[in-house]
Amino acid sequence: MLKVVLSVMVLIGFLSPVFSQNSLPDYNFASGTWNFIGSRLHQEDEKAGLAKLNIHVPQNSKMIYSFNARYESGAEDGHAGFGVHLFADTVHPKASWGNGESWLLWLNYDEKPVSPDIPAGFSAQVYRSRSHSRMDLVQTIDLNQFGNLITSEILAQPIPIRIWLDGETGEVRIYDPIDQSYYYYFYLESDGLPLRGDWIALRTNGVHLSFGLDS
């Protein structure tokens, strides 16, 4: 097991502004219905397929994005998803399929996926965004073996999400939300290393989620 060396990381409290709306960096509620409720940020529109929040965050070298997500409603129709655009050079200020040159890490629940490349049920995808209107599916991972862990009790709680990135190598680590001594890692294979970006974007598809900081 590789050891995470915190001293060489830049820690970014992703979505830390949910505790103070006035402290947000440059941001844009591009699409969907976003609201601050107490200490959490909600995307409330269950029907929005391209809900998106753009946040200006310069990115380089090693970084951590640490936040939590809680399911509120909307998956009753058999479809829900959310993810994060990383290393975006530009972002679209309204609804869009892609977000400039960037990478999208996506968690998906779809009982009847349209694409044959996406398994039914729980899965994860990595997309490479080429523009505001074009994204290429780079990798898909079947997560149905973990489906029994997604209970109503678990969904009622904020689920910690921790993403480690190295812009120099393209390495990404997704930490186990239950035991964060474990992580799944992969590489964003790009002919443009090192990876750099000025924006990130949080997005949802067909679901009401809320987000906050890990305590």
Side-chain angles (χ1 to χ4, degrees), residues 132-152:
H132 299 323
S133 60
R134 177 189 168 191
M135 283 204 298
D136 299 330
L137 179 61
V138 175
Q139 183 179 5
T140 189
I141 305 161
D142 191 325
L143 298 177
N144 284 297
Q145 61 180 314
F146 306 110
N148 63 323
L149 301 177
I150 310 300
T151 64
S152 56

Side-chain angles (χ1 to χ4, degrees), residues 68-140:
N68 65 64
R70 185 176 68 205
Y71 171 77
E72 304 292 345
S73 61
E76 296 82 3
D77 61 357
H79 178 252
F82 87 97
V84 185
H85 276 281
L86 302 168
F87 297 113
D89 62 343
T90 62
V91 289
H92 196 279
K94 297 182 180 180
S96 63
W97 170 233
N99 234 13
E101 286 280 353
S102 63
W103 295 84
L104 174 65
L105 309 185
W106 188 253
L107 184 64
N108 194 56
Y109 175 70
D110 196 343
E111 295 176 357
K112 297 179 180 179
V114 175
S115 171
D117 298 321
I118 297 177
F122 287 103
S123 64
Q125 284 76 42
V126 178
Y127 290 90
R128 185 170 184 180
S129 175
R130 304 286 186 172
S131 68
H132 299 323
S133 60
R134 177 189 168 191
M135 283 204 298
D136 299 330
L137 179 61
V138 175
Q139 183 179 5
T140 189

Side-chain angles (χ1 to χ4, degrees), residues 10 29-30 40 44 55 57 72 77-78 96 99 101 112 118 128 164 176 187 193 203 207:
V10 177
F29 292 142
R40 302 188 66 77
E44 300 176 307
I55 306 175
V57 177
E72 304 292 345
D77 61 357
S96 63
N99 234 13
E101 286 280 353
K112 297 179 180 179
I118 297 177
R128 185 170 184 180
W164 181 97
D176 187 317
Y187 286 85
L193 291 175
R203 60 190 305 165
V207 65

Side-chain angles (χ1 to χ4, degrees), residues 14-21 23-24 35-43 67-70 72 158 209-215:
F14 180 54
L15 285 181
S16 58
V18 297
F19 295 105
S20 173
Q21 184 173 1
S23 67
L24 269 170
N35 284 304
F36 293 92
I37 302 176
S39 63
R40 302 188 66 77
L41 175 63
H42 289 247
Q43 196 299 110
F67 60 105
N68 65 64
R70 185 176 68 205
E72 304 292 345
L209 296 178
S210 69
F211 303 91
L213 271 184
D214 289 325
S215 59

Side-chain angles (χ1 to χ4, degrees), residues 63 65 86-87 103 105 126 139 162-167 169-175 183-189 195:
M63 297 156 291
Y65 298 91
L86 302 168
F87 297 113
W103 295 84
L105 309 185
V126 178
Q139 183 179 5
R162 188 176 177 88
I163 305 171
W164 181 97
L165 305 101
D166 185 349
T169 65
E171 182 181 357
V172 179
R173 302 174 188 176
I174 309 294
Y175 285 81
Y183 56 81
Y184 174 82
Y185 74 95
F186 57 94
Y187 286 85
L188 302 177
E189 297 182 2
L195 299 174

